[in-house]
Amino acid sequence: MSKKIIKKNNDVWWQETIDTPETEYVEENFYVEETLVKNKELIRMEMNLIQLPIFSKNTKRKVNQVVKYFFNSNRDTYITVTPTAGNYIPGETEEKVFIALMQIMKEKGMPKKFIISVTDLRDKLKLNTGRYGNIIKSALLRLAETNYNFKNTMYSSELRGTINKEVSTPILTLEIITLSLKQNEKYRNLYDDKRIKEIYEINISDHFYSNIIQKGYMVYNSRILLEISTSTARTIYMLIEKLRFENLCLKMDIIFLIKRIPLKYDKKNLNSTVKTLEKALKELKDKNLIEDFKIIKESTWEKSEIEIFFHEKSKEEKQQRFFEDRNDFRKLLTETTVSDTEHEMIEDAEIIEKSTPIESTVIVTQEMIDKILGLMPSKARSLKTMPKTIKEAILEYGYTKVESVAIYMKKNKVEKVRAYFIKALENNWCEDEAIVIQTPKKDVLNASEEFLNKDETPKNYERELEYFSALSSGEKEKLQEKVYRAYIEECGQETKIQKLAFNAAKNRLIAEYILKNNLLKSEKPKSVVEEIQKEKDVDLSLIDDINYYTDYISKNIELYRSILNLSEEKIKKIKIETLAELGTKIITKTITLEEINASIVKKLQ
């Protein structure tokens, strides 16, 4: 656009033309496609809200009543809950509203600040009363205006432990936006319902948001939480899901549970409090959230215990919730960081990549670390950083999984110990491996193991595995499915043992299938790996590395597809050139993700 400016100088008129570039309007979509989120009902509940009395269970709360919860006899570890003048502390309604807010926050892409209407919350809470507007607004104000003072009690994901000082904060802050005001005109088009007179801007407080984004959280199904009828039952459910780790039975003192909820503790009337516990646990049992429970009383209630039993499938369901939520978060992150917005969240996502909150209460001992080191290849014991790496891995993945990886590494004679250890944990390379390599009992031996052991002579499957590596991700999945079906047909049955055995010998089975069915004659173009491979003998375990990096390169390039409007031909060319350049390093396990990223960026220019 050219802009002419006329100026007068010494009574002589002259004009100067200043060329300026056209005004550029940039639009970026930060909404989240529905297809990105696998399970919209999964939410992250911040760790402090699970294990601390943030929401009162007292149905007879009083106006202007400040409540202080002590957690030790020295009275230097506590929480003080202070309501605003003329109000009372948050309870069950506020808890439900907060759960609904977490669901809406996820649907909006996990922003710290977001806008909602009263009808948004009404629909999530399934409120049928005509008073829903007053109920929700009062609850939001109570959440925003109540102050929490934590003394040596607030958990911090950044510190991976409790903050050893005093922290004063609300759960969230609230701004009420009146749509009729002229300065709020930009908000009017957000909602079609003209009956909505005001909307709410929610801003989750820093301490709580940091935990939700990083690993100071646990994953629950919001629908299940909201369908639990009482706050006591809901708190018990969230608490025992944390405390049980992956166990199917949790045993604890009744007094411990009463104080952690917390319920009224009166030595003279404990029987009444225990009945409240029983009623809450019965609801969880009726809703199939626990299998059963048993109260063990041999003398007084103060010396009694409670046992809670969980369904066999609950362990898998718990892990599934976590992984589904983690994958959803990755997709949300990809969608909302096109222009490096919220860059800090990328660093948080890298932490989430390796973390699971399920074992946050595990205490790692030196004995555990030494045992893992003893199971690893001898080279691990010469690395000074290995003990710390093992400790962090146990905290994030659990001792059982780390032990399995250690056994897996020694079995496969891994050389780059630390790098392989981390990648194996991140990508579940040894999933179920420990079960397979243990010496089985005779009555467990079946067609699967006979099939795996019928030919013990090692073969060189170099060409077959390189053929498999050259396939696209979709082609690999289809071929693997065919191999699995052929394997099951030969076994004559499909059980968990067959699945475990197949995973243990997957590479060999795929290679044998390719050889048996003459797939090499299909004249698939030679892969880059085949062109650069110089050694005659191929380490079959390398195929996992090759697949991992091939997929990583593909996903990395895909990120730029829409931004740079890349054609399929261009994408394919970049993939081939990147593999050609880095193939040798991939095979020798000397590649880094930074090198891959740099290579791709260079080829995009």
Side-chain angles (χ1 to χ4, degrees):
M1 178 178 69
S2 295
K3 187 176 180 180
K4 294 183 178 180
I5 301 176
I6 308 296
K7 293 185 177 181
K8 185 177 181 181
N9 185 20
N10 297 326
D11 296 326
V12 178
W13 289 93
W14 58 279
Q15 72 178 28
E16 179 184 20
T17 301
I18 302 175
D19 290 326
T20 59
E22 290 186 10
T23 302
E24 181 182 3
Y25 295 91
V26 179
E27 294 183 354
E28 293 188 67
N29 294 320
F30 288 104
Y31 64 87
V32 180
E33 296 288 350
E34 290 187 6
T35 54
L36 287 179
V37 181
K38 186 174 183 179
N39 190 340
K40 294 181 179 180
E41 294 178 342
L42 295 184
I43 61 169
R44 296 181 174 189
M45 283 299 287
E46 197 268 347
M47 197 66 73
N48 292 296
L49 274 69
I50 296 170
Q51 59 190 12
L52 298 174
I54 303 298
F55 302 107
S56 175
K57 305 301 176 289
N58 185 4
T59 57
K60 298 179 181 179
R61 289 164 291 155
K62 297 178 182 178
V63 171
N64 294 336
Q65 184 182 62
V66 177
V67 181
K68 198 167 188 177
Y69 302 95
F70 290 96
F71 296 91
N72 66 349
S73 57
N74 294 332
R75 297 170 72 85
D76 63 352
T77 301
Y78 57 80
I79 301 172
T80 305
V81 187
T82 308
T84 188
N87 214 325
Y88 49 85
I89 64 176
E92 181 171 3
T93 301
E94 289 70 38
E95 182 180 33
K96 285 187 173 182
V97 168
F98 186 81
I99 291 170
L101 286 175
M102 292 297 96
Q103 190 174 355
I104 294 171
M105 184 173 81
K106 179 174 181 179
E107 291 173 359
K108 290 180 178 291
M110 301 296 285
K112 185 176 184 292
K113 184 187 293 186
F114 54 96
I115 290 174
I116 60 165
S117 73
V118 70
T119 53
D120 293 333
L121 286 171
R122 177 200 63 189
D123 296 341
K124 297 297 181 189
L125 296 167
K126 295 181 171 58
L127 291 177
N128 297 319
T129 175
R131 295 180 55 250
Y132 69 85
N134 290 333
I135 293 172
I136 290 173
K137 185 174 181 178
S138 296
L140 288 173
L141 286 168
R142 204 166 288 123
L143 285 170
E145 294 172 350
T146 300
N147 188 71
Y148 291 86
N149 194 66
F150 298 86
K151 180 65 182 294
N152 302 324
T153 48
M154 171 169 267
Y155 176 82
S156 167
S157 59
E158 294 178 4
L159 298 177
R160 298 193 178 188
T162 302
I163 300 175
N164 295 321
K165 61 181 181 180
E166 203 158 343
V167 176
S168 184
T169 178
I171 296 176
L172 54 85
T173 57
L174 172 71
E175 182 181 344
I176 300 174
I177 301 171
T178 304
L179 296 180
S180 60
L181 297 178
K182 186 176 181 180
Q183 64 264 33
N184 295 330
E185 186 176 355
K186 62 181 179 180
Y187 296 107
R188 290 176 193 165
N189 295 328
L190 293 176
Y191 293 92
D192 296 329
D193 190 345
K194 301 307 177 184
R195 293 173 297 178
I196 299 175
K197 304 301 181 185
E198 60 185 22
I199 55 178
Y200 308 109
E201 184 179 74
I202 307 295
N203 190 349
I204 306 298
S205 296
D206 292 343
H207 288 289
F208 294 99
Y209 185 72
S210 177
N211 285 347
I212 292 169
I213 291 298
Q214 295 188 44
K215 57 180 186 177
Y217 67 89
M218 286 191 66
V219 179
Y220 297 93
N221 186 300
S222 59
R223 175 183 54 79
I224 290 175
L225 293 182
L226 292 174
E227 286 178 355
I228 296 175
S229 64
T230 67
S231 182
T232 299
R234 189 179 305 110
T235 299
I236 291 175
Y237 172 66
M238 289 194 291
L239 187 59
I240 62 178
E241 279 291 283
K242 175 184 181 294
L243 295 177
R244 77 182 178 96
F245 175 39
E246 293 182 337
N247 299 316
L248 298 178
C249 178
L250 178 64
K251 189 175 183 179
M252 68 186 89
D253 294 334
I254 278 186
I255 299 301
F256 171 82
L257 186 56
I258 288 173
K259 290 189 174 184
R260 286 295 296 270
I261 293 174
L263 295 175
K264 184 178 180 181
Y265 177 65
D266 183 353
K267 292 182 180 181
K268 297 179 181 179
N269 200 22
L270 269 179
N271 186 55
S272 177
T273 303
V274 172
K275 284 182 180 179
T276 302
L277 270 183
E278 285 186 282
K279 184 179 179 182
L281 287 164
K282 187 176 185 306
E283 180 182 354
L284 297 182
K285 181 180 177 181
D286 292 342
K287 291 184 180 296
N288 215 31
L289 298 176
I290 62 173
E291 186 173 35
D292 204 357
F293 67 95
K294 181 171 63 175
I295 293 176
I296 307 167
K297 182 185 179 185
E298 295 180 351
S299 55
T300 65
W301 280 122
E302 289 183 307
K303 296 180 180 179
S304 299
E305 296 177 308
I306 188 166
E307 268 189 309
I308 303 173
F309 305 94
F310 301 86
H311 297 286
E312 183 73 32
K313 64 179 181 179
S314 66
K315 175 182 174 182
E316 183 178 342
E317 289 174 347
K318 184 176 181 180
Q319 291 180 337
Q320 186 66 21
R321 287 199 305 268
F322 171 75
F323 287 119
E324 282 186 15
D325 171 80
R326 186 183 66 174
N327 291 335
D328 284 344
F329 182 80
R330 287 173 177 169
K331 294 171 185 174
L332 296 175
L333 182 67
T334 301
E335 182 74 11
T336 58
T337 52
V338 176
S339 299
D340 296 327
T341 306
E342 305 268 350
H343 178 70
E344 294 81 6
M345 293 176 66
I346 297 177
E347 297 175 353
D348 294 336
E350 291 172 353
I351 296 173
I352 293 169
E353 287 264 325
K354 302 184 293 183
S355 67
T356 170
I358 294 175
E359 294 198 16
S360 58
T361 57
V362 172
I363 298 174
V364 182
T365 65
Q366 187 60 44
E367 183 182 358
M368 294 165 71
I369 295 173
D370 292 340
K371 184 175 179 182
I372 296 297
L373 275 172
L375 293 170
M376 287 182 167
S378 58
K379 188 176 180 180
R381 293 185 281 280
S382 65
L383 300 177
K384 293 182 179 180
T385 58
M386 209 61 211
K388 182 181 177 183
T389 302
I390 292 171
K391 180 180 179 180
E392 292 175 352
I394 294 173
L395 287 170
E396 295 178 10
Y397 298 100
Y399 180 83
T400 303
K401 184 172 181 178
V402 173
E403 183 182 46
S404 298
V405 170
I407 297 171
Y408 179 76
M409 290 168 61
K410 192 164 187 177
K411 176 188 174 187
N412 288 281
K413 300 179 180 178
V414 175
E415 293 185 4
K416 294 186 176 296
V417 179
R418 187 174 180 276
Y420 197 97
F421 176 65
I422 293 171
K423 281 197 292 181
L425 286 168
E426 289 177 351
N427 298 287
N428 289 319
W429 287 351
C430 66
E431 190 170 12
D432 294 321
E433 177 73 7
I435 301 173
V436 176
I437 64 176
Q438 289 171 357
T439 304
K441 296 179 181 179
K442 289 184 178 180
D443 57 350
V444 178
L445 289 172
N446 53 31
S448 303
E449 289 164 316
E450 292 172 6
F451 176 73
L452 291 174
N453 295 324
K454 67 180 183 180
D455 184 4
E456 297 180 355
T457 305
K459 293 182 180 179
N460 183 355
Y461 292 111
E462 177 180 356
R463 295 180 65 237
E464 288 77 15
L465 292 177
E466 289 174 0
Y467 169 89
F468 181 72
S469 177
L471 299 176
S472 67
S473 298
E475 290 171 330
K476 287 177 184 174
E477 289 180 8
K478 289 180 181 179
L479 179 57
Q480 184 172 311
E481 178 64 21
K482 287 181 181 179
V483 176
Y484 177 71
R485 289 299 153 200
Y487 161 70
I488 292 298
E489 184 176 347
E490 185 164 349
C491 289
Q493 56 181 326
E494 183 177 9
T495 66
K496 185 176 181 180
I497 295 295
Q498 274 77 37
K499 293 177 182 178
L500 298 180
F502 176 80
N503 286 331
K506 182 166 59 178
N507 294 332
R508 178 168 66 80
L509 292 170
I510 290 172
E512 288 181 350
Y513 182 92
I514 292 171
L515 183 64
K516 181 179 178 181
N517 292 276
N518 296 319
L519 297 185
L520 291 176
K521 292 183 178 180
S522 63
E523 297 183 358
K524 182 80 178 179
K526 286 187 177 182
S527 68
V528 177
V529 176
E530 184 178 353
E531 292 174 359
I532 63 176
Q533 173 71 319
K534 302 300 181 183
E535 299 179 22
K536 292 183 178 180
D537 296 323
V538 175
D539 178 0
L540 299 187
S541 68
L542 285 177
I543 194 68
D544 286 323
D545 273 355
I546 294 170
N547 290 342
Y548 170 78
Y549 286 116
T550 302
D551 289 342
Y552 180 85
I553 290 169
S554 297
K555 290 174 182 176
N556 200 322
I557 295 171
E558 286 293 330
L559 289 176
Y560 297 97
R561 177 193 288 272
S562 58
I563 303 171
L564 301 178
N565 196 24
L566 300 176
S567 66
E568 288 292 337
E569 184 178 348
K570 178 67 173 176
I571 290 174
K572 185 177 180 181
K573 182 182 178 183
I574 294 173
K575 288 180 182 178
I576 293 173
E577 290 177 351
T578 304
L579 281 169
E581 178 184 338
L582 305 175
T584 302
K585 285 194 170 186
I586 291 174
I587 290 175
T588 57
K589 298 183 181 180
T590 58
I591 192 70
T592 66
L593 298 184
E594 287 76 13
E595 288 178 290
I596 294 176
N597 296 337
S599 176
I600 292 172
V601 170
K602 183 174 66 177
K603 291 171 178 55
L604 287 168
Q605 294 173 348

